[in-house]
Amino acid sequence: MKKLILISITAIICLSFAGISVYSAENTNGVFVYEYKKELALTDKQEKNLRAIVEKFQSYIGDRQKKLKGLQAELSKMIIENVALSKIKAKINDIAKSQSEITYESIASNRAIETELAGTQLSKWRGIQAEFAKNYQQAIDTASQTKEVKK
């Protein structure tokens, strides 16, 4: 029973974090906003500034992911060791705080990117994002349907 609870909590935490990983500076295929230099008609200065924003965010995410993995490991251990629920709740709150900080930083980075883009560039970038989101959702739907057929 403990293992089932542990697996459930770990899955919830991982899924919560997974949703955060999709941010505007990069699509999940690893293509960054500055790689659309030609399509967005970015100046060299804009490209440099966008790279700096993305690199700062990536560094932040890398540090936070390490911290988050550590917190998740601690939580798992606490559950297995039957630690008091109040301590488990505090650990879950630490994990949630870390996730919310990542979400905030993602939003701040997105806004920094958007301020770097001029009118038509921003419109085109949002169009690229919308197209990616549409294709991403279609891929999720297809994968979900494939799983249902296998059942």
Side-chain angles (χ1 to χ4, degrees), residues 4-47:
L4 180 60
I5 293 170
L6 175 62
I7 291 169
S8 299
I9 290 173
T10 303
I12 290 167
I13 291 168
C14 290
L15 289 173
S16 298
F17 185 69
I20 295 167
S21 67
V22 180
Y23 58 97
S24 295
E26 172 192 12
N27 71 31
T28 56
N29 291 327
V31 180
F32 298 92
V33 61
Y34 54 78
E35 293 178 8
Y36 290 95
K37 182 175 182 171
K38 192 175 190 176
E39 295 90 330
L40 298 174
L42 299 174
T43 66
D44 291 340
K45 182 180 178 186
Q46 284 177 308
E47 180 185 10

Side-chain angles (χ1 to χ4, degrees), residues 9-106:
I9 290 173
T10 303
I12 290 167
I13 291 168
C14 290
L15 289 173
S16 298
F17 185 69
I20 295 167
S21 67
V22 180
Y23 58 97
S24 295
E26 172 192 12
N27 71 31
T28 56
N29 291 327
V31 180
F32 298 92
V33 61
Y34 54 78
E35 293 178 8
Y36 290 95
K37 182 175 182 171
K38 192 175 190 176
E39 295 90 330
L40 298 174
L42 299 174
T43 66
D44 291 340
K45 182 180 178 186
Q46 284 177 308
E47 180 185 10
K48 180 182 173 189
N49 293 345
L50 291 168
R51 281 182 187 274
I53 293 166
V54 171
E55 288 169 5
K56 178 182 172 191
F57 182 69
Q58 284 182 314
S59 174
Y60 178 86
I61 286 295
D63 293 342
R64 287 296 169 180
Q65 283 178 328
K66 289 177 191 172
K67 178 182 176 184
L68 197 53
K69 284 181 182 179
L71 290 170
Q72 291 169 340
E74 291 170 15
L75 176 62
S76 296
K77 184 178 176 186
M78 293 169 73
I79 293 168
I80 290 169
E81 294 176 353
N82 216 11
V83 172
L85 286 175
S86 61
K87 291 182 180 181
I88 289 174
K89 183 177 182 179
K91 188 60 64 181
I92 292 170
N93 286 335
D94 290 345
I95 291 168
K97 181 180 179 199
S98 185
Q99 290 172 327
S100 69
E101 289 168 353
I102 292 169
T103 301
Y104 174 81
E105 194 61 36
S106 175

